[in-house]
Amino acid sequence: MMASVRPGGWLLIEEADPSLQPLVCPDEHAPPQRLANKLKHDFRTLMAARGVDLAYGRTLPRLLREAGLVDVAADAYFPVTGPACAALEHATTRQIRASLTRAGLATDAEIDQHLANIEAGLLDLATSPMISAWGRVPS
């Protein structure tokens, strides 16, 4: 990617970092929140088994410096609740349903209950922090 940036230009890379915030429901106060967090843990188990580095986002500033960029900085965006968080959780759960059940990590009943909890608005759903890191290609 650096080769595509002119000298003096900026490169921005973004990646989620699920390890920084492992809970989809930070306020785990009742069974619906505990179920949501269990399923998120199960999803991350699947991702790790497939070789996904769940802590990759936090490495971006270092990787940019190691690649020779200067003026490197980063920040993170971490929504704690909102309609977009619920829509993402609903879509993700439906997408990984078969993988979770096939792996024996979750049952159809658990997944159905979680989807119903989302639709009922019972959950304050968070997303993994999105790390944005940028640096400048030296002139």
Side-chain angles (χ1 to χ4, degrees):
M1 284 190 276
M2 271 184 51
S4 67
V5 181
R6 293 181 185 163
W10 291 85
L11 176 64
L12 167 73
I13 300 176
E14 294 182 309
E15 181 64 40
D17 194 315
S19 290
L20 279 176
Q21 196 343 67
L23 303 175
V24 71
C25 289
D27 181 18
E28 187 181 273
H29 66 278
Q33 290 76 21
R34 284 189 284 281
L35 175 59
N37 286 337
K38 176 214 177 287
L39 292 175
K40 186 58 70 174
H41 172 79
D42 296 341
F43 174 46
R44 290 184 175 137
T45 298
L46 286 176
M47 290 171 43
R50 293 179 180 161
V52 175
D53 180 353
L54 300 173
Y56 187 72
R58 72 188 72 179
T59 69
L60 294 176
R62 174 179 49 83
L63 295 173
L64 292 177
R65 279 191 302 278
E66 289 174 355
L69 295 176
V70 296
D71 300 327
V72 172
D75 64 19
Y77 176 68
F78 174 50
V80 176
T81 191
C85 296
L88 178 62
E89 180 67 14
H90 196 275
T92 301
T93 301
R94 285 180 304 145
Q95 185 177 31
I96 64 167
R97 178 186 198 118
S99 296
L100 287 171
T101 57
R102 222 179 3 259
L105 295 169
T107 66
D108 281 319
E110 288 175 320
I111 294 169
D112 288 340
Q113 183 61 60
H114 180 56
L115 292 171
N117 291 342
I118 295 168
E119 291 166 8
L122 299 178
L123 306 169
D124 288 320
L125 296 161
T127 63
S128 297
M130 179 63 70
I131 308 297
S132 301
W134 56 92
R136 188 172 53 80
V137 175
S139 300

